[in-house]
Amino acid sequence: MKWFKRIIIALFSLTLLGIAAIAAAYFYVLPELPDVTTLKTVKLQTPLRIYSHDGKLISQFGEKRRIPIEYEQVPEQLINAVLDTEDARFFEHKGIDPIGILRAAVILATTGKKSQGASTITQQVARGFFLSREKTYIRKIKEIFLALKIEQALSKQEILTLYLNRSFLGNRAYGVGAAAQVYYGKELDQLTLPEMAMIAGLPQAPSAANPIRNPERAKNRRNWVLSRMLEKENITQAQYQAAITAPVTARYHGAEVELYAPYISEMARDYLVEKYGEEEAYTGGYNVYTTIDSTLQLYAQQALRDNVYSYDERHGYRGATKVLWQGDVPATEQIIDKLDETQAFQGLIPAAVLSLAEQSAQVLTPDGQTHTLTWAGLQWARKFISNKRQSKAPKQASDVLTVGEQIWIRHNNDIWQLSQIPEVASAIVSVDPHNGSIKTLVGGYSFYTSQYNRVTQAKRQLGSNIKPFIYTAALEKGYTLATLINNAPINNADIRQGTAWRPKNSPDKYTGPTRLRVGLAQSINVMSVRAMRYTGLNTAIDTLVKFGFDRDDLPKNESLALGSASVTPLQVVTAFSVFANGGYKVEPYFIDHINNAYDQVVEESNPTLACTPPATEAPVADDPFAAMAKELATSDENTAKVADNGCAIDARHAPRIISEQTAFLITEALKSVIWGGGDWNKGTGWNGTAWRAARVVNRHDIAGKTGTTNESRDTWFSGFNPNLATTIWVGFDDHSIELGRTTWDANGAKDQISGAEAGAKTAGPGWNEFMKNALAGTPEVPSQPPEGIVSARIDLATGKLSRKTDYTTAFEYFIRGTEPTEFATEPEEQENIFNEDPVEELFQ
């Protein structure tokens, strides 16, 4: 019996020593153990995502791809696969698995090697969040105690959710949600059993068992996971057999970008980085919803590209990008290898010229396909000499191409067409004039070639786009649309110019006294200068500042009347929005709201609304009717009605900077820029500078203005309907380069436009294409003259009243009290001269 007592004493002593050792170890590492309750509010590193207003992913920033998921979102079979592989007794133990520890101890004693097999999922969570991956005894002790504390602080479901979200699973994917997207392009609930098993096998070997890099090893690992599921009776034999024979279908799926809009996504990224810092912005899981309308954005991008291609092709072909071979044609594989060195972008595809016919060419693209360039896709390619000169039109394919050349091609409607990377730059931006939300923004032809955002960063001379603002100042001082301004040469130069500055018209023609409406519609330079002389330079500058232009950018001389001020397209479209919304200066904005990783709104836009808020003044004392009126106006019911109309009491209201009547009159004049006036049947018709917009967009609710600077270095078109304002600019980033002109060639393409580049010809077509598509399917908004507007029949030659009803007269709009009082001829009667209910369509 002595030996039995000795054994009992020895075991008891060992137990006491073990407890003491554990206690000593615990108190030794206790000061270094972190607070595990922080796991309840742990912030997973999740990338920044930028979306359009309608929820389409524009871009993603951040090194780690993670899609946080809740426990309820994880399929049961995926949970089974993970637990059967990593920790079969997870729901039974308290954080550590004694059986696993014993097994690891036996392995250590017999082989001298440390094993990770003893680590439970809870221990892996402890290691992943709080410890390093080094294999030391002290780290293992900390891991065990942390696991025990985690089990006390969190539920099993919470622990498993942390594990499923945190684990690195290869290819920058962290967590099973991201892995499902990266490897299969699927949501978790769309995964098949073999795919779940593949993902479940990745935590211990994300590189070695990567199904993209090592498909065979990954398949073996997957099948082992499936065997564990079969062993634990979580799948049937039939399911197992079907799953292990399934092919490895994993391939890399990048972020599912649904809308390519890099300039706006860069603006959103900059905003987040500036506000939160780079680390937090890229890992905080923010979802930024911009104001961009995805459909309109695509229209804008296409319109800009088409317009830039059109300009570029008008000025000639600059030749092949390189020569791939001379003499015998190499093997197809060799040609493709060379083409693969050039990346396709913006719809341009590198191609090699294989053979030429008289008026066609066969080309090879990197995908191994051959395409025919017909004469319709080649005939534009007159040789580029300079921006002002092109050679004669080609007559056969060999005049343009040589076998062995590498060229660019693009698909244009139904044909493949020879193309080239445009050197000219452009930008387009659209806003909702009622609240300033930016609906489209394209900062250049290609973000790939230039990240310079011309919408917000490029200050370029405004040209004749400035004239509506000059005439606004004149109307506010007393001019009307019928006021005659002398369209005659200006010989008394502005001495503030420092040189003999004598503005001229373009074309250099003069018609004498001309109505203001016609002067704006036909962009007559000398009339704009004289209108500014009428208002005074300082008043003109003050007016432009009210519209949002920087005072420092406005030259203090008469060249201002012709657009010598340098401004950004965003400033311009914001200013034109004032006319569209009836006189309010809205603030442009591009972020609608920002959500955090938990889909909670952390920031929301508070736009300025183009409306007049309801009266909120205090009632006059002892006036019960005023008090009753205020109570009625601010009641919940009436506040809701106001909010429905877009002008809630608690909203931010844009300041009114011009009267509704002035905004209406300028808008009517800007409609004449597009629709012209007069009676063509009676020989009195005339065009505005943007007559092409009438044909292309073909709506009577649009208004706009062309703009061209000296030597055609900058061209503009800005315009709007009541619900959308858009500005487009075309020019070279190098201010010294002129847009030039094209020379007429009767043998060239049928749509060849000759002459100098200008706003209507260079920028206008882009605006026309965009607005045609953007407004398609929306009803025209009829012109509604505001209160205080009257119309009177005037004599077109003098701007005075007339009782005639022939082609020499027409109705014109006036602010009540500014209509003319003189008659062009002595009237026999004054009937029908004034009309308090103006006609909707005014052709003058």
Side-chain angles (χ1 to χ4, degrees), residues 711-765:
E711 289 84 37
S712 297
R713 287 187 170 90
D714 298 281
T715 57
W716 300 80
F717 195 99
S718 298
F720 54 88
N721 91 329
N723 297 315
L724 189 68
T726 302
T727 287
I728 184 170
W729 165 85
V730 181
F732 285 93
D733 288 332
D734 184 342
H735 293 220
S736 67
I737 301 177
E738 301 175 19
L739 286 163
R741 60 186 301 113
T742 52
T743 52
W744 175 255
D745 187 334
N747 296 318
K750 289 186 297 182
D751 61 351
Q752 180 69 52
I753 305 173
S754 63
E757 299 291 342
K761 170 183 173 181
T762 313

Side-chain angles (χ1 to χ4, degrees), residues 618-662:
V620 179
D622 302 324
D623 185 350
F625 296 102
M628 186 183 303
K630 181 182 179 184
E631 181 179 354
L632 180 63
T634 56
S635 67
D636 290 342
E637 180 181 356
N638 285 282
T639 299
K641 290 180 180 178
V642 172
D644 288 342
N645 292 330
C647 205
I649 292 174
D650 59 351
R652 292 177 65 216
H653 302 101
R656 176 178 286 285
I657 61 169
I658 60 173
S659 70
E660 187 178 7
Q661 293 76 23
T662 299

Side-chain angles (χ1 to χ4, degrees), residues 129-322:
F129 280 94
F130 299 117
L131 303 172
S132 68
R133 295 186 66 86
E134 62 178 342
K135 294 182 180 181
T136 62
Y137 292 113
I138 194 66
R139 195 271 294 164
K140 196 67 177 179
I141 292 171
K142 291 179 182 178
E143 181 184 296
I144 291 171
F145 287 125
L146 280 173
L148 294 171
K149 293 180 71 174
I150 289 171
E151 290 277 344
Q152 294 173 348
L154 277 69
S155 69
K156 287 288 188 179
Q157 288 77 10
E158 289 173 325
I159 296 168
L160 187 55
T161 302
L162 286 172
Y163 177 80
L164 294 173
N165 278 319
R166 173 81 179 195
S167 299
F168 175 59
L169 302 175
N171 286 98
R172 293 171 55 195
Y174 287 80
V176 294
Q181 285 288 344
V182 168
Y183 293 113
Y184 301 109
K186 296 180 178 182
E187 302 294 331
L188 283 177
D189 59 3
Q190 298 173 320
L191 294 174
T192 65
L193 176 60
E195 291 166 347
M196 293 182 198
M198 183 70 78
I199 291 174
L202 286 171
Q204 298 303 327
S207 297
N210 190 296
I212 297 175
R213 296 176 190 158
N214 301 302
E216 197 59 37
R217 293 183 67 176
K219 185 177 181 180
N220 293 336
R221 175 70 175 170
R222 179 200 70 181
N223 291 349
W224 182 83
V225 172
L226 290 166
S227 69
R228 289 284 298 162
M229 296 181 73
L230 178 64
E231 181 183 335
K232 296 297 181 181
E233 298 183 351
N234 284 316
I235 58 175
T236 65
Q237 184 68 37
Q239 289 175 309
Y240 170 75
Q241 289 297 334
I244 63 172
T245 58
V248 176
T249 59
R251 62 181 180 85
Y252 182 76
H253 296 77
E256 294 295 323
V257 172
E258 300 168 278
L259 175 68
Y260 182 68
Y263 291 99
I264 196 73
S265 67
E266 187 66 14
M267 289 170 64
R269 185 196 69 82
D270 284 345
Y271 176 81
L272 264 290
V273 169
E274 182 177 349
K275 181 166 186 174
Y276 296 110
E278 191 168 290
E279 177 67 22
E280 173 66 9
Y282 290 165
T283 63
Y286 295 102
N287 294 315
V288 180
Y289 290 86
T290 67
T291 57
I292 294 297
D293 181 298
S294 63
T295 300
L296 297 187
Q297 179 71 15
L298 291 174
Y299 287 150
Q301 290 172 175
Q302 191 60 50
L304 183 145
R305 283 198 292 265
D306 288 346
N307 193 50
V308 166
Y309 287 140
S310 182
Y311 167 87
D312 198 60
E313 291 169 7
R314 282 200 299 274
H315 288 263
Y317 181 53
R318 293 185 293 276
T321 58
K322 64 176 74 171

Side-chain angles (χ1 to χ4, degrees), residues 263-577:
Y263 291 99
I264 196 73
S265 67
E266 187 66 14
M267 289 170 64
R269 185 196 69 82
D270 284 345
Y271 176 81
L272 264 290
V273 169
E274 182 177 349
K275 181 166 186 174
Y276 296 110
E278 191 168 290
E279 177 67 22
E280 173 66 9
Y282 290 165
T283 63
Y286 295 102
N287 294 315
V288 180
Y289 290 86
T290 67
T291 57
I292 294 297
D293 181 298
S294 63
T295 300
L296 297 187
Q297 179 71 15
L298 291 174
Y299 287 150
Q301 290 172 175
Q302 191 60 50
L304 183 145
R305 283 198 292 265
D306 288 346
N307 193 50
V308 166
Y309 287 140
S310 182
Y311 167 87
D312 198 60
E313 291 169 7
R314 282 200 299 274
H315 288 263
Y317 181 53
R318 293 185 293 276
T321 58
K322 64 176 74 171
V323 176
L324 298 180
W325 75 86
Q326 292 177 326
D328 295 337
V329 179
T332 299
E333 293 75 14
Q334 291 178 291
I335 300 174
I336 291 174
D337 287 343
K338 291 183 178 181
L339 291 175
D340 281 338
E341 297 173 4
T342 304
Q343 183 176 342
F345 72 103
Q346 297 293 81
L348 295 182
I349 302 171
V353 180
L354 296 178
S355 63
L356 300 175
E358 183 177 357
Q359 288 193 331
S360 66
Q362 289 290 315
V363 299
L364 176 71
T365 49
D367 59 1
Q369 300 292 314
T370 58
H371 303 280
T372 300
L373 304 183
T374 64
W375 191 238
L378 292 172
Q379 65 176 345
W380 68 268
R382 297 192 292 166
K383 183 180 179 182
F384 172 85
I385 300 173
S386 73
N387 285 338
K388 296 181 179 180
R389 290 184 60 206
Q390 303 84 40
S391 71
K392 291 184 178 181
K395 296 182 178 179
Q396 54 191 11
S398 59
D399 293 339
V400 180
L401 303 175
T402 301
V403 172
E405 289 180 334
Q406 180 174 315
I407 60 173
W408 291 105
I409 64 171
R410 64 186 176 95
H411 204 251
N412 186 13
N413 296 322
D414 295 327
I415 66 168
W416 285 99
Q417 176 172 327
L418 174 67
S419 193
Q420 59 191 359
I421 298 176
E423 293 181 349
V424 73
S426 184
I428 186 171
V429 57
S430 302
V431 304
D432 181 337
H434 299 291
N435 59 21
S437 60
I438 296 176
K439 295 301 180 185
T440 73
L441 187 148
V442 188
Y445 163 75
S446 168
F447 191 79
Y448 174 76
T449 56
S450 171
Q451 289 78 52
Y452 182 50
N453 189 341
R454 295 155 189 84
V455 168
T456 60
Q457 296 175 296
K459 287 194 171 184
R460 301 302 293 252
Q461 286 195 337
L462 187 54
S464 294
N465 250 204
I466 205 170
K467 290 174 182 175
F469 312 111
I470 300 299
Y471 285 117
T472 293
L475 288 181
E476 291 195 319
K477 191 173 180 181
Y479 271 6
T480 72
L481 296 185
T483 297
L484 296 183
I485 303 174
N486 196 11
N487 178 14
I490 293 178
N491 294 315
N492 52 331
D494 181 3
I495 59 174
R496 284 168 295 194
Q497 295 291 109
T499 59
W501 181 75
R502 290 183 174 83
K504 294 183 178 181
N505 288 340
S506 179
D508 195 14
K509 296 179 181 179
Y510 304 88
T511 58
T514 303
R515 286 175 295 127
L516 185 153
R517 177 190 283 268
V518 178
L520 179 53
Q522 296 188 336
S523 200
I524 299 172
N525 287 341
V526 295
M527 290 179 65
S528 181
V529 175
R530 287 191 167 99
M532 194 174 75
R533 287 182 175 181
Y534 165 72
T535 66
L537 177 61
N538 290 334
T539 298
I541 289 175
D542 290 342
T543 300
L544 287 162
V545 170
K546 281 197 307 182
F547 275 90
F549 299 110
D550 295 333
R551 189 177 296 273
D552 291 342
D553 294 329
L554 306 176
K556 295 177 175 57
N557 56 61
E558 288 187 343
S559 70
L560 179 66
L562 303 185
S564 59
S566 294
V567 298
T568 68
L570 184 57
Q571 288 176 305
V572 177
V573 76
T574 304
F576 270 83
S577 294

